[in-house]
Amino acid sequence: MKLEHINLTSTDPSATADFLCTYFGLRNEGGSKSFMLVRDDNDMVITLMKAKKVDYPKTFHIGFYPQSEAEVDAIAAKLKEGGFEPTAPSRDHGYSVYVEAPGNFTVEITA
């Protein structure tokens, strides 16, 4: 059995959807001001539901796993060009950077 759906709460579902599509290759399947749906290449669905306040636990995050450290670096550089502030790479459990997504949750990028 594989995981095929995740629902995330976001303060700005449209901006979150744009972020996930621009930097991580997901496809925007549409929605409204209060609800957006994005899909990855394996047809896993992420729904983004609007909330006035998002308060995930400090360690909550979602992760993307590119194939190489060079890809992690390329994504981090693209994020910086887009005005985001990814962390410096670390080697805690892989080669990782983290970034705060629009909508108020953390994204991990690890090879």
Side-chain angles (χ1 to χ4, degrees):
M1 187 176 334
K2 70 178 186 175
L3 179 63
E4 295 190 40
H5 171 71
I6 296 172
N7 184 76
L8 298 173
T9 305
S10 170
T11 56
D12 189 342
S14 180
T16 304
D18 289 346
F19 172 82
L20 293 171
C21 294
T22 299
Y23 298 101
F24 302 101
L26 278 69
R27 296 184 312 277
N28 189 330
E29 302 281 322
S32 65
K33 283 185 174 183
S34 62
F35 173 87
M36 295 296 293
L37 187 146
V38 296
R39 188 180 305 266
D40 73 8
D41 289 339
N42 296 311
D43 286 328
M44 203 248 321
V45 171
I46 299 175
T47 52
L48 305 164
M49 298 185 77
K50 184 168 181 63
K52 289 182 182 177
K53 180 181 177 192
V54 175
D55 193 22
Y56 285 112
K58 184 177 180 179
T59 59
F60 176 83
H61 63 280
I62 64 171
F64 293 92
Y65 283 69
Q67 297 296 309
S68 69
E69 291 181 6
E71 286 182 78
V72 172
D73 290 337
I75 294 167
K78 187 175 177 181
L79 285 161
K80 285 179 186 177
E81 289 171 10
F84 295 95
E85 298 179 13
T87 63
S90 66
R91 292 190 183 277
D92 295 330
H93 60 275
Y95 184 77
S96 305
V97 298
Y98 295 83
V99 66
E100 189 74 15
N104 201 31
F105 61 89
T106 301
V107 175
E108 170 189 358
I109 305 111
T110 296

